[in-house]
Amino acid sequence: MEYKLLIEKAAEARNFAYTPYSHFKVGAALLAKNGKVFTGCNVENATYTPTVCAERTAFFKAVSEGVKDFEAIAIVGGKEGQLAPFCAPCGVCRQVMAEFCDVSNFKLVLGTPEHFEVYLLRDVLPFAFTPKDLE
Ligand code: THU
């Protein structure tokens, strides 16, 4: 799948973000190696800490449906009513990506549908602690 289409799907998923507290809306579209796309948005909570990021929503949707091999994730975000030029994933989400993805191959498509850049997970999570470290 073309990454432009993937980031468009992330922008679409962002419309479902539940953000009554931060008003910061994030959308993600996770491309599995089998070609399936799992979308996600952030879901906030009145007690704050149960909040889940868009990226983890997408990962957990996929894993909970038996899919664990991934190629790329597109992420868009910004304050309600506007899309920021760039929205990087938080550290916790990077760690979740490292659980399932090879840091040297998994790609992050960041930016907007109009202008995006592609990064490797290892670029944004150097010296990752991964399941291999527990072998
Ligand atoms: N958020 C995400 O969904 N993904 C990120 O990588 C950064 C932060 C959400 C969490 C919270 O609902 C809001 O953005 C503000 O932090």
Side-chain angles (χ1 to χ4, degrees), residues 23-72:
H23 304 286
F24 190 89
K25 294 185 177 290
V26 183
L30 176 62
L31 176 62
K33 285 187 181 165
N34 67 7
K36 273 193 173 182
V37 175
F38 296 86
T39 57
C41 62
N42 49 334
V43 181
E44 297 186 344
N45 189 278
T47 61
Y48 288 42
T49 50
T51 293
V52 180
C53 291
E55 299 88 326
R56 273 177 290 148
T57 303
F59 265 85
F60 296 157
K61 277 172 71 178
V63 174
S64 67
E65 291 179 27
V67 177
K68 282 183 296 209
D69 296 314
F70 305 109
E71 180 186 321

Side-chain angles (χ1 to χ4, degrees), residues 1-10 29 31 37 72-74:
M1 169 180 289
E2 279 195 19
Y3 290 155
K4 179 157 172 61
L5 186 54
L6 193 65
I7 200 163
E8 281 169 0
K9 285 181 185 290
L31 176 62
V37 175
I73 189 168

Side-chain angles (χ1 to χ4, degrees), residues 74-86:
I75 305 161
V76 300
K79 276 283 193 187
E80 217 160 60
Q82 62 197 69
L83 201 55
F86 188 85

Side-chain angles (χ1 to χ4, degrees), residues 82-112:
Q82 62 197 69
L83 201 55
F86 188 85
C87 178
C90 81
V92 172
C93 289
R94 293 175 203 202
Q95 186 63 39
V96 169
M97 292 174 198
E99 182 69 23
F100 298 102
C101 308
D102 173 3
V103 295
S104 300
N105 285 305
F106 184 68
K107 291 164 196 73
L108 287 85
V109 183
L110 304 179
T112 65

